[in-house]
Amino acid sequence: MRTFIRGGRLIDPSQSLDRVADLVIVDGQIEAVQSPDATGPAALDASSDHAIDARDCLVMAGGIDVHTHIGGGKVALARLLLQDLTDGPESEFLPSPTVAAQRYLQMGYTSCFEPAVLPCNARAAHAEMALAHGLDTGGYCLLGNDDLLLQMIGDGVPQVMVNDYVAAMVAATQCIAVKVVNPGGINAFKYNVRDLDVDTPHPRYGVTPSEIIRTLCRAVYEIGLPHPLHVHCSNLGVPGNIASTIKTIEAADGLPIHLTHVQFHCYGDEGPYGMSSAAQQLVRAMQKHPNVTVDVGQIMFGQTVTISGDTAHQFANHRHAKPRKSALVDIECEAGCGVVPFRYRRRQFVHSLQWAIGLELFLMIDDPERVFLTTDHPNGAPFTSYPHLIRLLADHSFRETALAEIHTDAAAASDLSGLDRQYTINELVAMTRVGPSKILGLGDTGTLRPGAPADVVVYPQRSTWDQTFAQAKYVLKSGRCIAGTDVPSTGSGRPQVSTAAESLHRTHRVDLSLDKSAWKSIVRRYPAAGSSSLGRLAISDDEMRTQLGSTLVNHAPRPRQR
Ligand SMILES: [Zn+2]
């Protein structure tokens, strides 16, 4: 099938493309970019099965969210806990996966990655994500508080054994990357330790968070995962935590490392409130360490819910719950998590400063392929606030108006008023498409290059950036038009998402084949250290296809390093 997107402004910073042209799509892939007056078979409107009028529109690849909690045990638990606060599956900050997918597609996002897939919960996480009809998804396997890994590092086993374990867990859980949350700190909580700083030894295994980071960064690099170790640092939300964030960067020893929701890890302890912005320190550290990428985890004012595997932090946080209820579950097991509803308020100094720090980071980090647009959905805000956030970044006067409304002491303590940068459309596309694809190793996804999968969005150019990015006119997935204001509704009560979306779900994973002998030895060792038997954990390709209803998209690892 041939589709012809006519006369839009095509934007793809990966090939310095920014001009009015026609985009030709054949059989689910981008075929060519043609000048509007080009002749030749591909340019002939008449030869197309489907033609889309994109005049006065922006045309770009579908958005990619590198960190959003849309599936898995703790999201389901949060929905259960907050039934009275949310409006069922349609909730603003806890939508069902199907509704989340509809909203992402309406905003022009086509791929989303769930960053906290606990190995013993991976099957449920994939089953839930498979209900995100029309979206591509993928998961990051959560390691770094599992007893076997801590024991191996503490015992000083050779790196190659750790590598085999990490590779086996990623393959068994059908994941694309590895994430660590509060390295060792969640496990230490079980031994009556309430915070574990980067150089503090674990009370049982003697290993420090710094050693866990170093070992896992190396494992991820050596087994060839494209995405660097995805790190939720120690001491989330604690004033002065910039010191542990910088030590975490140094622990990577120059290997690639990605710091997630870094706004929550970027605090000094100066000033009358004992909390200050450390954005400049982090930016300087990123200049010194080109191996570091970050996503921000911007907060927005309003009601949301925090859901995290960082049980130690959620235990400390639960007294701030709004409304006053929370759940900390399975702490003794490896799938422990905490759910704490939360309301960010403008009139609170801390919340206002958090808002300002997030924006400082976006605006101070020059390279849009090293900083990614996230709210750590739903922890900082629901993902549906992205259009508003984009306008804050791209419209200086809008940002100034918003800054005038926050707590005055927080505004005075922030450098935000001195930052007049406005993101350009090319920078926005780099931050939400090209950069995320590169950092996840998704090949040509996120670009409009010939041969790339035709995940393409057509946005109408409206008078403000938030209006432009709130609702796409057309969203194409693998060349099929599945959402958008100009795509006819199905009459099923689901606005602007076609039934074609329902047949499309794909899971991105790295094609690390499960090494049978390494797996057998891990299964044997695991019961002595872990809290469950591993024998049932591995999810086969066939199960993904036939039971969970998802097509696997394989990405090749880099060659193994030794
Ligand atoms: Zn998160």
Side-chain angles (χ1 to χ4, degrees):
M1 180 171 134
R2 176 184 295 263
T3 303
F4 193 82
I5 300 180
R6 190 155 179 262
R9 179 177 164 195
L10 307 189
I11 301 172
D12 176 11
S14 83
Q15 47 178 328
S16 303
L17 172 66
D18 181 359
R19 65 185 167 96
V20 172
D22 300 336
L23 191 70
V24 186
I25 293 166
V26 176
D27 296 336
Q29 289 191 330
I30 290 169
E31 172 91 353
V33 171
Q34 302 270 7
S35 294
D37 57 352
T39 52
L44 293 177
D45 204 345
S47 70
S48 299
D49 299 325
H50 187 48
I52 288 172
D53 183 358
R55 284 172 296 179
D56 300 322
C57 292
L58 303 173
V59 180
M60 61 189 75
I64 302 169
D65 196 334
V66 300
H67 190 114
T68 175
H69 298 278
I70 53 168
K74 61 190 183 310
V75 186
L77 180 67
R79 288 192 198 106
L80 199 61
L81 180 74
L82 299 176
Q83 274 177 344
D84 55 342
L85 196 64
T86 62
D87 188 16
E90 306 290 329
S91 161
E92 185 66 19
F93 50 88
L94 279 173
S96 71
T98 308
V99 172
Q102 290 168 10
R103 290 182 184 157
Y104 265 118
L105 290 169
Q106 283 165 22
M107 294 193 320
Y109 273 72
T110 49
S111 303
C112 292
F113 291 83
E114 161 58 56
V117 175
L118 286 144
C120 62
N121 195 234
R123 188 170 272 107
H126 284 300
E128 201 162 338
M129 286 193 279
L131 299 173
H133 304 304
L135 272 190
D136 281 13
T137 61
Y140 307 161
C141 177
L142 208 52
L143 298 173
N145 282 287
D146 37 332
D147 290 90
L148 181 54
L149 182 73
L150 300 187
Q151 192 184 73
M152 286 199 289
I153 301 173
D155 289 351
V157 304
Q159 177 77 33
V160 69
M161 276 180 71
V162 176
N163 294 1
D164 283 346
Y165 172 66
V166 172
M169 294 305 267
V170 172
T173 55
Q174 298 282 5
C175 278
I176 192 169
V178 176
K179 184 192 186 197
V180 60
V181 173
N182 185 358
I186 305 171
N187 192 293
F189 187 89
K190 301 169 195 177
Y191 297 92
N192 199 23
V193 172
R194 291 296 172 263
D195 54 75
L196 191 72
D197 209 349
V198 185
D199 294 322
T200 309
H202 184 281
R204 177 167 177 188
Y205 299 111
V207 59
T208 64
S210 177
E211 289 168 313
I212 298 168
I213 295 286
R214 185 172 298 117
T215 309
L216 276 177
C217 273
R218 198 172 151 196
V220 164
Y221 178 73
E222 291 187 350
I223 64 181
L225 296 181
H227 189 48
L229 181 65
H230 194 93
V231 182
H232 158 144
C233 297
S234 315
N235 295 319
L236 181 142
V238 178
N241 63 9
I242 186 65
S244 45
T245 302
I246 290 185
K247 279 190 207 165
T248 301
I249 290 173
E250 288 165 352
D253 274 347
L255 290 175
I257 183 169
H258 178 87
L259 306 186
T260 189
H261 42 70
V262 77
Q263 175 277 129
F264 289 106
H265 304 275
C266 195
Y267 305 149
D269 54 9
E270 292 163 14
Y273 293 86
M275 179 174 168
S276 52
S277 168
Q280 289 201 7
Q281 281 164 269
L282 184 75
V283 171
R284 277 198 297 274
M286 287 182 70
Q287 286 161 351
K288 189 173 161 199
H289 299 275
N291 53 314
V292 179
T293 51
V294 302
D295 65 85
V296 169
Q298 177 68 33
I299 71 127
M300 293 292 193
F301 301 111
Q303 177 71 49
T304 191
V305 57
T306 64
I307 51 177
S308 179
D310 192 345
T311 316
H313 169 73
Q314 292 296 64
F315 177 74
N317 205 27
H318 80 282
R319 63 180 181 276
H320 302 301
K322 289 270 182 333
R324 292 219 169 271
K325 56 179 174 178
S326 59
L328 296 168
V329 297
D330 290 347
I331 295 167
E332 299 75 11
C333 309
E334 287 180 3
C337 72
V339 176
V340 180
F342 205 79
R343 198 173 303 154
Y344 294 102
R345 299 165 190 267
R346 278 188 186 80
R347 58 189 165 84
Q348 281 233 358
F349 171 83
V350 169
H351 301 170
S352 280
L353 188 64
Q354 288 179 307
W355 177 87
I357 291 170
L359 295 177
E360 285 174 9
L361 289 168
F362 277 117
L363 296 165
M364 287 179 181
I365 298 169
D366 290 336
D367 184 350
E369 293 188 17
R370 289 181 69 194
V371 58
F372 304 121
L373 189 96
T374 63
T375 54
D376 190 19
H377 165 83
N379 288 306
F383 64 81
T384 42
S385 56
Y386 288 177
H388 178 87
L389 175 54
I390 286 172
R391 188 171 176 196
L392 286 170
L393 300 177
D395 180 342
H396 180 236
S397 69
F398 181 71
R399 187 165 72 234
E400 289 286 292
T401 305
L403 180 61
E405 290 170 356
I406 69 168
H407 192 289
T408 42
D409 292 348
S414 159
D415 290 327
L416 196 55
S417 68
L419 297 169
D420 56 7
R421 177 178 173 194
Q422 302 189 112
Y423 268 68
T424 64
I425 183 65
N426 276 278
E427 288 174 327
L428 291 170
V429 175
M431 178 168 62
T432 55
R433 274 86 176 157
V434 178
S437 172
K438 272 189 201 166
I439 201 73
L440 286 163
L442 304 182
D444 282 338
T445 302
T447 76
L448 300 178
R449 292 170 175 277
D455 295 354
V456 179
V457 191
V458 178
Y459 290 107
Q461 292 200 61
R462 298 205 171 97
S463 56
T464 59
W465 286 115
D466 49 344
Q467 289 174 16
T468 296
F469 283 102
Q471 286 210 312
K473 207 169 173 180
Y474 297 97
V475 180
L476 283 77
K477 193 72 193 307
S478 302
R480 293 164 67 188
C481 223
I482 61 166
T485 53
D486 285 28
V487 175
S489 162
T490 60
S492 64
R494 295 176 187 165
Q496 298 141 10
V497 177
S498 80
T499 45
E502 302 202 350
S503 59
L504 289 174
H505 182 265
R506 310 193 311 167
T507 301
H508 291 261
R509 63 113 189 243
V510 174
D511 194 10
L512 295 173
S513 50
L514 194 59
D515 179 328
K516 294 270 166 47
S517 64
W519 180 243
K520 271 187 190 159
S521 115
I522 291 158
V523 167
R524 264 199 312 276
R525 289 178 64 132
Y526 201 81
S531 54
S532 61
S533 160
L534 265 196
R536 301 179 294 273
L537 186 140
I539 306 168
S540 71
D541 295 4
D542 182 58
E543 185 179 354
M544 287 294 286
R545 267 191 301 271
T546 60
Q547 301 304 313
L548 303 178
S550 188
T551 305
L552 288 165
V553 183
N554 290 315
H555 299 283
R558 289 177 291 101
R560 271 201 181 213
Q561 313 283 319
R562 292 280 178 187

